[in-house]
Amino acid sequence: MQILLLKRAAIEEVRCVWQINSLTIHFDPEQFPRENLLKLLDSVLANFAKKPHASISQFSTQQHRDGPKQDIVFGIGGMSCASCALFLEMVLCRNLNIQHASINYISETGNVSGYLAKEEIFKIVEDNGYQAYSIDTLAERRLLLEFGHNHLLITKKRLKVIALLELPIMLASLFFKTSKRMRLLQALFSFPVVFLGGGGEIFKKAWIQAKQGTLNMDTLVAIGAGSAYVVSIPSLFDVRRHAYFEAATAIIAFVQVGRYLEELAKSKMVHDVEELVNLQPQNATLLTGKNENIISIDKIAIDDVLLIRPGERVPVDGIVLSGLSSVDESMVTGSNTPCIKEQGHKLFDGSINGSGVLHLQATAIGKDTVLAGLVHMIDQTQSSKLQIQKTVDIMSSRLTPAIMFLSVVTFGGWIAKGEVIAHAFANAISVLLISCPCALGLATPAATSVSSGQAARRRIYIRNGNALEQMAVIDTIILDKTGTLTEGHAKVSDYLNICDLQDDYVLQLAASVEFNSEHLLAKAVVEYARSRDLSLFPATKFHSIPDQGVRAEVNGHSIMLGNASWLQQQDIDITVMQDTAVNWAEQGKTLVYLVVDNNIAALIALTDEIRKGTRELIRDLHNRGIETQMLTGDTKASAQVIADLAGIDTVVANASPARKIQLIRDLQTRGRVVAMVGDGINDAPALAAANVSLVVGNAVGIAIETADYILVDSDISKVAEVLDISQQTLKVVKQNLFWAFGYNAIAIPIAMAGKLNPMISSAAMALSSVSVIANSLRLNK
């Protein structure tokens, strides 16, 4: 649907969140009137489920598949540079059943969205000379990290062998230029470096890509080193001819040194992810009757009972069956205060048990645990691409053939000038080797990989890498009140019953309905009833209206609880409560009206403290020139009290979810870039409509699905940190691109002018990629 809609030039962006059946369309109403858009939507939706005509097969041997689209994140082995990632993306995107593919060279992960099974995607990757690994579970993710460490060790050993072979080649070229034996020695020693262990992978990948009709960095290195070796063969029979054996070996050596330095830097970039993965223990204690067995976490099944001893980490998500202990859940909640756990309480994978012993029943294993979800979130972020990088990738893919053309021009130009073939050839090879499309390809993924890991260390999880680019240019931030600006620990402060029913009975009716709601105000009402030792009645026909209220039937009564605006829409007369309501609202209290059998029965007031650091955050945002607004379904009076405490100037009260969306759209129509900060299910539609969405605290699942950033420790001041991370990331990306473009723009003409030899060119090329990674690592500071 998104593809079909975006074919219209007037439609700028389409965001679909299937979890809440939400479709947000940004369009130009002058080019494409609203009425025309609605007609287009009717047409698209009417034909959305229809199968394509069978005749389409005559245009392609690949068929679009029926069935649900799926996003698959997996690990990739064998990539040697950013060009490998671009090549794999191109190959995957050629398949009609793949809608989107993004490969990250730094994290060695891929994200494919489409209709192919995981096994089919893996086959495409492996058929093109790379390895594909499943990383659904943390154990599999740990294995991928171990592969990376092993590859680093292999590269280091390979460099030592190359150095041992390179030394006699260099000495022979310096001191035995006219010796046939020494020339033969150079040829023998350089052959394994160029064509086997050192350069073998480069030639293999260059050949695979040539078969696919593409060219990349490996192509340039293979042509440069290979041609240097081949044109040196005649010198074995005539020592007066110029030989380039030492140059061919040096080219491969410098490339391998550069890639080794890249591997070292990459290991630092994925360090934060590795720390998260290592939170999960590799073994667990399984209880079967009275027997204890140590098993691998991969062998744990749902409903298995596990023993958690003092000081051990929790291996999977589950529920406490017995025992009492304090547990450190800081990796999930961000709170450094341990939680007391006893029977019935939830435990999360990676948490640290305190001094007690717990028996745990597994409820989520493998990829379904909270910790695995956090790591998966980071993988998705790192494999996503900023919009600026997509443009750069197009330019980078065209750079390689352009360099080959310039190399030919250089050779021809020097020959036409009357230069000897050996010198012209050396200059042409220098042009091939000095260019570095890999530096362009690394500019964005290197920066986003570091920043996403840095954010995770601060308990900020990024679900959408593109949000890094959008957040850096935000000029308006909208904040929800309850649970976002306030602590989210509401308590009943006042209760007024005006009906003929007893106070406790009326409260029982209210709590019996609110027990079915996930809203924090509902939980406060239930807790208040339980604090008075009141039992709850079963409720039927429960229905929730987001940001408005709830209704149900309890003990033969029709019950409604909600705000004033909703009850007025239901033709409920609440004027009898007016004076009390105004008085409580002016004190900053949130009001919940209770209606029994269509008559106003009671008024409940709740208080919630403003979050620590809120006023400092708002002041910081204003100093940055960012406008702040509060949107709430609460009354104007109670909302204004919180707004004054926070320092927010603009308050929109009595806002329904539809009105929140409309306000965001109005701001976007005026050219504003809007971020929405919320916490719960009522915020989900507004979060989906905003350019960037942030969820604070222990958010409801649907809200998390629509969020770009998740602040798990409920620290709202981290909104400023999100801004800092986004702006710094975009700044580093621009620096990387400036360096990469500037390097190529300066170095290529110098090489064409004959000022560089092939060895210096290959060294400069290798270091250019390393410099981009080194600059990105500054984000860790």
Side-chain angles (χ1 to χ4, degrees), residues 13 15 26 466-478 625-628 664-676 689-694 723:
E13 183 183 359
R15 297 184 66 184
H26 298 271
N466 293 323
L468 283 165
E469 196 170 14
Q470 286 271 43
M471 193 68 187
V473 294
I474 285 294
D475 55 27
T476 306
I477 293 184
I478 295 175
I626 296 175
E627 180 185 343
T628 58
I664 291 171
R665 287 174 177 167
D666 290 343
L667 288 168
Q668 291 168 334
T669 301
R670 301 205 306 265
R672 309 304 293 268
V673 186
V674 183
M676 172 73 189
N691 298 94
V692 180
S693 51
L694 301 93
L723 280 166

Side-chain angles (χ1 to χ4, degrees), residues 344-570:
H345 287 179
K346 292 182 179 180
L347 286 175
F348 298 107
D349 184 10
S351 303
I352 303 174
N353 186 24
S355 57
V357 175
L358 296 173
H359 287 184
L360 165 74
Q361 183 179 36
T363 58
I365 59 175
K367 65 179 181 180
D368 298 321
T369 67
V370 170
L371 183 59
L374 294 177
V375 174
H376 179 73
M377 199 181 300
I378 297 173
D379 286 336
Q380 282 185 311
T381 301
Q382 293 182 341
S383 60
S384 61
K385 289 197 174 187
L386 305 191
Q387 189 61 42
I388 191 173
Q389 183 64 34
K390 295 176 182 178
T391 305
V392 172
D393 285 347
I394 295 172
M395 299 176 68
S396 179
S397 65
R398 294 172 181 171
L399 178 61
T400 301
I403 294 302
M404 295 180 68
F405 173 75
L406 290 176
S407 178
V408 173
V409 169
T410 300
F411 182 80
W414 280 102
I415 292 295
K417 191 179 178 181
E419 190 61 65
V420 295
I421 293 178
H423 189 211
F425 174 76
N427 292 339
I429 295 299
S430 294
V431 172
L432 281 178
L433 297 173
I434 196 68
S435 66
C436 191
C438 284
L440 291 171
L442 282 171
T444 295
T448 55
S449 293
V450 177
S451 60
S452 60
Q454 181 65 226
R457 190 185 306 169
R458 303 183 189 189
R459 299 292 184 263
I460 300 170
Y461 295 97
I462 308 171
R463 289 192 70 253
N464 179 8
N466 293 323
L468 283 165
E469 196 170 14
Q470 286 271 43
M471 193 68 187
V473 294
I474 285 294
D475 55 27
T476 306
I477 293 184
I478 295 175
L479 303 103
D480 179 48
K481 180 178 81 74
T482 306
T484 302
L485 290 170
T486 61
E487 290 284 356
H489 303 302
K491 294 182 180 179
V492 174
S493 60
D494 301 277
Y495 167 52
L496 174 63
N497 174 26
I498 64 168
C499 70
D500 296 332
L501 300 174
Q502 292 183 357
D503 289 355
D504 284 353
Y505 182 68
V506 172
L507 189 57
Q508 280 180 291
L509 294 176
S512 299
V513 176
E514 296 284 35
F515 180 75
N516 297 277
S517 173
E518 81 294 329
H519 200 281
L520 62 92
L521 297 182
K523 294 177 181 177
V525 173
V526 174
E527 288 177 6
Y528 181 64
R530 284 176 170 167
S531 69
R532 297 173 62 159
D533 295 325
L534 301 178
S535 59
L536 303 184
F537 304 121
T540 59
K541 298 182 180 180
F542 176 84
H543 181 60
S544 174
I545 300 90
D547 255 358
Q548 301 286 305
V550 293
R551 66 197 318 160
E553 291 187 3
V554 180
N555 266 16
H557 297 288
S558 174
I559 308 296
M560 299 170 64
L561 290 106
N563 57 31
S565 60
W566 179 59
L567 294 180
Q568 288 167 354
Q569 293 173 19
Q570 310 303 312

